[in-house]
Amino acid sequence: MKKTTAHRVQTGLTPLKNIKNIIAIASGKGGVGKSTVTTNLAMVLSQQGYRVGILDADIYGPSQPRLLGLSGKPEIVDNQFVPFISHGVQVMSIGFLIAPDAPAIWRGPMVTKALIQMLNDSAWDNLDYLLIDLPPGTGDIQLTMSQKIPVAGSVIVTTPQDLSLIDAKKAIMMFEKVNVSILGIVENMSTHVCSQCGYEEAIFGSNGAETLTDQHKVPLLGQIPLLSAIREHSDKGVPVVIAEPDSSSAKDYQKIAMSLIAQLALQKKDYSAKFGSLKIEQ
Ligand code: ADP
């Protein structure tokens, strides 16, 4: 088992005892592959020997149960949800807890409360990394979550298409505003690779994410092509990095996971857990 250190939470919140580093995975738009990136990165980190969890907070379309072939309700022990385990990764999803149409009639503060409760009321077992699959967008829910959860950093997923990039820019600005460090950008569906002939085409345009990373001085963690194998394995509930660990896709996700850890390593470390709480008696 590899060990990692906790990194400082820039928003000043105290890190959770049982989770060393919380990483928020965000996107300005839905459908850009944020959940698929979250799942595959979590699996890669677990394959590398880290203790990893996924918190699926995408209340408007929780995908992790489908992406990991999980269903049913989590067990409750000592008033805490026991996360499901998938390929060694601890998984909790709002999709396990609420009826699919419930959030449609919830107000923002109720949604945020439910999501934060799910984080705090789950029995995470000593995690090095918890990846939070945030709801897409940059509204009040995402803003409040970023302010109330002690995240060590965020990752933004986008496609190279202008429409997605405009919203990715809003996500960057949101994290900058609340002082959450941006570990980098993942460009998904960078090119389309034909499964018949291997021809590669930039169907959503090119250099989009690079322009964004240059403008905002945030790293590009990596690019992933649009490949039918990624979608097919996801639909079967097995992430591509598990189904085809030696594929070029698996290598792409591995590279991104390593860049992510490297970016996190550049952040300041948090040593508060090493010291007992100091009491000054008058
Ligand atoms: P989001 O979380 O941003 O809404 P998802 O991760 O649910 O997006 O992905 C949306 C759809 O695109 C899913 O059907 C998924 O399998 C597919 N998908 C995501 N990334 C890729 C990719 N690189 N190649 C092919 N299909 C992909």
Side-chain angles (χ1 to χ4, degrees):
M1 265 296 146
K2 273 194 196 159
K3 282 237 157 105
T4 184
T5 29
H7 289 83
R8 213 183 67 186
V9 176
Q10 304 223 349
T11 44
L13 298 172
T14 313
L16 301 182
K17 274 204 192 83
N18 47 348
I19 309 173
K20 285 193 181 135
N21 298 289
I22 299 183
I23 299 169
I25 317 279
S27 70
K29 264 207 178 325
V32 297
K34 168 181 53 64
S35 301
T36 312
V37 167
T38 306
T39 323
N40 281 288
L41 290 186
M43 294 296 151
V44 168
L45 290 171
S46 169
Q47 285 168 332
Q48 301 281 333
Y50 296 107
R51 297 180 66 85
V52 186
I54 296 176
L55 180 78
D56 179 8
D58 190 346
I59 192 150
Y60 299 114
S63 317
Q64 295 300 335
R66 183 179 47 83
L67 289 170
L68 295 167
L70 300 171
S71 60
K73 296 249 174 255
E75 244 188 278
I76 296 177
V77 174
D78 294 336
N79 284 326
Q80 288 214 300
F81 298 116
V82 181
F84 284 78
I85 306 282
S86 175
H87 306 285
V89 172
Q90 300 171 41
V91 185
M92 264 305 290
S93 169
I94 193 73
F96 297 142
L97 305 179
I98 56 164
D101 47 359
I105 52 160
W106 285 8
R107 289 183 195 282
M110 244 172 112
V111 172
T112 320
K113 197 170 160 211
L115 297 175
I116 293 175
Q117 233 169 30
M118 181 175 62
L119 167 71
N120 291 326
D121 294 351
S122 296
W124 304 108
D125 186 7
N126 209 6
L127 296 179
D128 292 311
Y129 299 105
L130 176 72
L131 306 192
I132 304 191
D133 187 351
L134 280 182
T138 49
D140 274 353
I141 295 169
Q142 295 79 359
L143 198 67
T144 314
M145 284 187 76
S146 315
Q147 284 171 311
K148 292 202 168 166
I149 294 176
V151 288
S154 62
V155 171
I156 296 163
V157 182
T158 182
T159 65
Q161 202 177 7
D162 280 351
L163 274 177
S164 167
L165 289 165
I166 290 167
D167 287 355
K169 198 180 169 88
K170 287 188 196 154
I172 294 179
M173 286 159 69
M174 175 185 83
F175 286 124
E176 284 174 347
K177 185 173 164 192
V178 294
N179 213 12
V180 167
S181 52
I182 299 162
L183 301 169
I185 299 204
V186 173
E187 188 185 74
N188 191 32
M189 309 185 186
S190 292
T191 55
H192 171 249
V193 181
C194 174
S195 53
Q196 300 294 315
C197 66
Y199 178 69
E200 199 170 346
E201 193 179 357
I203 52 173
F204 291 130
S206 37
N207 301 327
E210 271 125 335
T211 312
L212 200 62
T213 52
D214 285 351
Q215 276 171 0
H216 289 270
K217 306 277 173 283
V218 287
L220 181 62
L221 298 176
Q223 295 166 303
I224 304 160
L226 178 67
L227 273 178
S228 54
I230 296 180
R231 201 241 348 121
E232 280 161 25
H233 289 302
S234 298
D235 283 355
K236 285 186 203 141
V238 185
V240 70
V241 296
I242 300 286
E244 293 183 35
D246 298 320
S247 62
S248 64
S249 303
K251 295 205 168 78
D252 290 338
Y253 287 113
Q254 283 156 10
K255 183 183 154 273
I256 292 170
M258 292 311 104
S259 309
L260 173 61
I261 293 190
Q263 285 305 322
L264 198 57
L266 295 174
Q267 310 279 312
K268 291 210 174 77
K269 294 198 169 62
D270 179 273
Y271 293 109
S272 57
K274 301 219 185 317
F275 305 103
S277 55
L278 185 67
K279 280 199 193 128
I280 300 173
E281 310 253 333
Q282 298 279 347

